[in-house]
Amino acid sequence: MTISPTELLEIGQDELERGCGDKDSIREEHSVSLRDGSTRAIRSDASAYEGDGSAVSRHIDGIQPVLLTAASSGVAAISACLDSSTRTLSTPSPGLILPSKSSSLSSPALSSNGHETNSSSSSSAPAETVAVVHPQPGTHTRSRQSKGHHHAPIDLLPDHTLLQIFSHLPTNQLCRCARVCRRWYNLAWDPRLWGTVRLTGELLHADRAIRVLTHRLCQDTPNVCLTLETVIVNGCKRLTDRGLHVVAQCCPELRRLEVAGCYNISNDAVFEVVSRCPNLEHLNLSGCSKVTCISLTQEASLQLSPLHGQQISIHFLDMTDCFSLEDEGLRTIASHCPRLTHLYLRRCTRLTDEALRHLALHCPSIRELSLSDCRLVGDFGLREVARLEGCLRYLSVAHCTRITDVGMRYVARYCPRLRYLNARGCEGLTDHGLSHLARSCPKLKSLDVGKCPLVSDSGLEQLAMYCQGLRRVSLRACESVTGRGLKALAANCCELQLLNVQDCEVSPEALRFVRRHCRRCVIEHTNPAFY
C-alpha cells in the first residue's frame, strides 16, 4: 500500500499536535497509523538520532524535540530516508514539514545561514518529507553538547566589591537584593550594611516593617541591633507608638531618629526612645502634633524609667509644627536636654517669652534657633535669647510681629558672632535696628528683612559699610528701598551671591549696576525691563 505525500503530511502534523510530552524526557513512544489499520511503534532516542531509526527526536537547549516521519513504499514497508534527505536545525521555533512533489524534482530547504539550497531527492524513494526549522537569530547550527553552567558577570565580583555596591542602596532595594540568591542573601544582611534604615511611604505599614527588620538584624545578637544607629521613617503616617517601642527595645546604639510627619506618635513613645537610647543625638519630631514634652521625669513614667534623673544627650531637636507644645513642655525639654545646639520651633504658636527664659537658662550652647511664626514671642523673648551671647550663629524670628528695634538691639549687642538672621515680616523693624545690627555683627553672611516696610536705603547703606561679607540679602516687598541702597550694597559687598528685590520699586539701571559689580550674584526681581 502506497502512502501519498498529502497523507504523509497529515500523519506528521498529527504527531506534532500530540506533542512530545515533558521536555525533560529523552525517550518517547509515537504511534503511526497506516491506512490498512496496522500500527507500528516507532521509538525515537535523541541520543541516537544519527542511526537508521525511522524517527528523530532531539532536545537542544531545553526546547521540545522535533519529530520527523519518513515515507513508506510498498505494503506495510517503512524505510528510513531521513538520514540522507532530512535536515534538522537547532532552534526553539516549530518546524515546517513540507512534502516533495516528485523524486525527479528538487526540494528547497533552508541552510544554517538562512539561504535556500537545492536538495535532490533519492530516486529510490518515491516520496519524501523535508523538515525546515528556522534558526535562532544570530546563531548557527551547533553540534550536540552538554549544557554548561553560565555565570552572570556580576557573579564574578568578589564579596567585598558587592558589599561596597550594596552599601549605596536604600533599605527597600537592599531587601530586594536579599531575595535574588543565597549568596546575595548572606551579603545583603551583612551587619555592616545596616547602620541606617530608611522607610518612606504614606501607605507603608511602618510598624510591621520595623518589627521584621529588627527581628532579622537581631539574629546574630539576640534582641539587640548593635549596628543600627539611624532610623528615618519620615512621612510614614501609619507609624504608631508600637513601632517606636520596638526601636527603643532593640536599638540601644541609636543616634539619629527622624519621624517627621508621623502624627500618631505620642509622648509615651518619645519617652521610651530617649530613656532606652542614651546615645541619641539627633531627633526630628516635626509634624508630630501629639508630642508635648521630652523628658525622663514625667510622673506617669517615673516607675518605668531606668534612667531617671539623667540628662538626655540630644544635640539636634526639630519640633516644627508641634502645635501642642507649650511653655511648660519647653521648660522640661530645656532642663533635660542641656546639650542642645540646634533647636527648631517653627509654628509652635503656644510658646511665649517665658519659655525662652528657661531655654537660655538651661541650654547655653545653642547655636541655631528658629522661632518663625511664634507670634506670641516679642522683645522680652529676644532679650532672653541674647543671653546665649557668643554661641548663637543662626536666628530666625520670621513673622514674629511683636519684635521691634528694641529686641533687635539686644541681639546685636550680645550676639556679635551672628551669621544668619531671618526677620521677615517683623514690621516693627526699622533702619535704626538695622544700623545696630550692622555695627555689632560684622560677620553677618545672610539677612532677610523682606516685608519690613520701614527698612529703607539708609539701613542698607549701614549694612554695606559694616557687613561687607554679606552673601545673601532678601529685601522682598520692602517698599522704601530704591536703587541708591542697592548700589551701595553692590559697591561694597562684592561677595554677594543672592539678592531678592521682588516687589521693590527699583530701576533697571540699578539692577544692571548690581550685575556689573557682583558677577556671581543671582538677582531675583519682578521688573520686566531688566533681563
Side-chain angles (χ1 to χ4, degrees):
M1 180 181 294
T2 302
I3 301 178
S4 65
T6 302
E7 294 169 338
L8 182 60
L9 175 60
E10 294 176 355
I11 295 174
Q13 289 177 344
D14 291 341
E15 292 298 324
L16 287 177
E17 291 175 357
R18 277 198 293 266
C20 300
D22 189 0
K23 65 180 181 179
D24 295 326
S25 176
I26 299 179
R27 299 185 58 90
E28 299 180 357
E29 182 173 338
H30 304 275
S31 298
V32 180
S33 298
L34 302 179
R35 176 172 295 180
D36 60 352
S38 62
T39 302
R40 296 192 180 185
I42 301 176
R43 296 181 179 273
S44 60
D45 191 340
S47 64
Y49 77 100
E50 295 178 348
D52 294 333
S54 58
V56 176
S57 173
R58 187 176 183 186
H59 177 73
I60 297 178
D61 296 336
I63 307 303
Q64 185 66 39
V66 178
L67 177 65
L68 303 177
T69 307
S72 62
S73 61
V75 179
I78 299 177
S79 61
C81 61
L82 294 178
D83 54 349
S84 61
S85 60
T86 301
R87 294 176 175 82
T88 304
L89 305 181
S90 302
T91 177
S93 60
L96 301 178
I97 300 182
L98 304 178
S100 61
K101 294 184 179 179
S102 67
S103 60
S104 61
L105 299 178
S106 61
S107 299
L110 291 180
S111 63
S112 61
N113 57 10
H115 297 289
E116 289 187 358
T117 59
N118 291 329
S119 176
S120 300
S121 59
S122 175
S123 59
S124 60
E128 163 182 41
T129 300
V130 179
V132 180
V133 183
H134 300 289
Q136 189 174 3
T139 62
H140 300 280
T141 303
R142 295 176 296 178
S143 61
R144 179 168 53 88
Q145 60 182 1
S146 60
K147 294 176 62 178
H149 185 67
H150 300 283
H151 291 279
I154 196 171
D155 290 335
L156 302 178
L157 296 177
D159 288 352
H160 66 85
T161 303
L162 281 177
L163 286 174
Q164 185 66 24
I165 295 173
F166 288 173
S167 66
H168 297 282
L169 297 179
T171 301
N172 59 334
Q173 296 294 339
L174 197 57
C175 292
R176 291 178 181 177
C177 288
R179 301 171 62 184
V180 172
C181 62
R182 184 175 298 275
R183 182 194 179 201
W184 282 31
Y185 177 87
N186 294 329
L187 291 175
W189 288 109
D190 190 296
R192 290 171 291 182
L193 299 177
W194 292 93
T196 299
V197 167
R198 186 186 301 269
L199 303 174
T200 57
E202 295 183 359
L203 301 180
L204 176 68
H205 199 312
D207 292 346
R208 179 181 178 184
I210 290 176
R211 185 174 65 253
V212 171
L213 287 174
T214 53
H215 176 74
R216 177 57 184 83
L217 294 174
C218 290
Q219 286 189 358
D220 297 332
T221 52
N223 302 323
V224 177
C225 302
L226 296 178
T227 60
L228 188 56
E229 297 183 353
T230 301
V231 175
I232 301 175
V233 286
N234 294 332
C236 295
K237 296 182 178 180
R238 300 181 66 180
L239 179 68
T240 65
D241 289 353
R242 291 191 297 272
L244 285 192
H245 283 313
V246 173
V247 172
Q249 293 172 2
C250 299
C251 307
E253 297 295 330
L254 189 67
R255 295 181 179 274
R256 178 170 182 165
L257 176 63
E258 295 187 14
V259 290
C262 302
Y263 49 75
N264 291 316
I265 299 300
S266 68
N267 289 341
D268 293 337
V270 176
F271 162 75
E272 193 75 14
V273 171
V274 298
S275 62
R276 290 179 177 267
C277 304
N279 296 324
L280 187 65
E281 298 176 349
H282 183 113
L283 181 59
N284 186 346
L285 297 172
S286 58
C288 299
S289 56
K290 294 182 180 181
V291 176
T292 61
C293 184
I294 301 174
S295 73
L296 296 172
T297 58
Q298 292 180 350
E299 290 185 6
S301 304
L302 282 177
Q303 58 184 358
L304 300 177
S305 175
L307 302 177
H308 173 57
Q310 295 189 10
Q311 297 177 346
I312 302 174
S313 59
I314 293 177
H315 296 281
F316 180 102
L317 178 60
D318 190 347
M319 298 192 69
T320 299
D321 293 322
C322 291
F323 308 115
S324 301
L325 181 63
E326 298 181 350
D327 292 350
E328 185 63 24
L330 187 58
R331 184 191 68 80
T332 306
I333 291 173
S335 60
H336 286 84
C337 305
R339 302 179 185 178
L340 277 176
T341 58
H342 297 70
L343 179 61
Y344 303 93
L345 303 170
R346 306 179 188 95
R347 292 179 291 280
C348 294
T349 54
R350 298 186 181 184
L351 296 179
T352 66
D353 295 337
E354 179 66 19
L356 299 182
R357 184 177 69 85
H358 295 289
L359 188 64
L361 181 63
H362 297 287
C363 303
S365 301
I366 290 183
R367 297 169 58 90
E368 295 189 10
L369 176 63
S370 178
L371 301 169
S372 298
D373 294 285
C374 295
R375 300 183 183 274
L376 298 181
V377 173
D379 292 333
F380 288 103
L382 278 191
R383 185 184 65 179
E384 299 300 329
V385 170
R387 294 170 60 183
L388 297 172
E389 297 183 351
C391 292
L392 196 63
R393 301 289 189 276
Y394 172 107
L395 176 63
S396 177
V397 290
H399 305 292
C400 295
T401 54
R402 296 189 178 189
I403 290 178
T404 65
D405 291 342
V406 176
M408 200 58 62
R409 190 183 301 118
Y410 283 114
V411 172
R413 180 182 302 175
Y414 296 106
C415 302
R417 298 182 181 180
L418 195 65
R419 299 288 192 276
Y420 175 98
L421 175 64
N422 184 356
R424 173 178 295 189
C426 296
E427 299 178 353
L429 183 63
T430 68
D431 291 335
H432 186 66
L434 209 58
S435 176
H436 280 285
L437 187 68
R439 293 173 182 270
S440 302
C441 303
K443 296 183 179 181
L444 199 63
K445 300 295 182 183
S446 179
L447 176 65
D448 189 344
V449 288
K451 297 184 179 180
C452 295
L454 301 181
V455 171
S456 65
D457 295 336
S458 298
L460 295 184
E461 289 173 346
Q462 293 293 317
L463 282 175
M465 185 180 300
Y466 296 103
C467 300
Q468 299 183 1
L470 275 172
R471 296 182 181 179
R472 304 170 66 91
V473 177
S474 177
L475 304 169
R476 182 171 185 173
C478 290
E479 302 171 353
S480 302
V481 172
T482 66
R484 179 168 62 92
L486 294 187
K487 290 181 180 180
L489 275 178
N492 292 277
C493 303
C494 300
E495 299 181 7
L496 201 61
Q497 298 177 1
L498 176 64
L499 177 63
N500 188 338
V501 289
Q502 294 177 343
D503 302 320
C504 294
E505 297 294 332
V506 294
S507 64
E509 290 76 19
L511 297 178
R512 294 189 183 97
F513 184 90
V514 174
R515 186 167 61 183
R516 283 196 305 269
H517 286 76
C518 305
R519 297 185 177 275
R520 300 174 56 189
C521 182
V522 176
I523 303 175
E524 298 179 356
H525 64 93
T526 53
N527 194 329
F530 175 72
Y531 53 89

